[in-house]
Amino acid sequence: IPIAFGPFRLHAIQAFVHPNNLPSWGLLERKGFHREAEMKDRWYFQGAFWDTCMYTLLNPDSPWTRKETDPR
């Protein structure tokens, strides 16, 4: 995370995990990620479609990140 938001100056990081992978949910949430969506049949793997959850972490120092006072 420090490299992504530091030298690479990314605006956001996204992570995709299987809905049943509770340890990954916990890790992402402890790191400050927010669950954005659960997508049905998102990935095709080993002959079947799989659901996935998308988590996002926004860079609080990015000039493009909306601040709490932004009326949007």
Side-chain angles (χ1 to χ4, degrees):
I1 295 173
I3 292 172
F5 289 162
F8 289 144
R9 299 177 54 188
L10 296 180
H11 172 67
I13 301 170
Q14 291 182 327
F16 296 90
V17 298
H18 190 279
N20 295 339
N21 192 341
L22 299 180
S24 289
W25 285 19
L27 174 65
L28 291 169
E29 291 171 2
R30 282 192 305 277
K31 294 295 183 183
F33 283 74
H34 297 279
R35 187 172 179 167
E36 299 284 338
E38 183 170 338
M39 297 170 276
K40 301 296 183 187
D41 293 341
R42 176 72 171 140
W43 304 111
Y44 185 78
F45 179 68
Q46 295 182 340
F49 284 96
W50 298 76
D51 297 348
T52 190
C53 295
M54 181 179 77
Y55 282 80
T56 303
L57 178 65
L58 295 176
N59 181 348
D61 298 324
S62 171
W64 301 285
T65 299
R66 183 172 30 161
K67 306 303 182 215
E68 293 297 321
T69 57
D70 191 339
R72 286 188 284 163

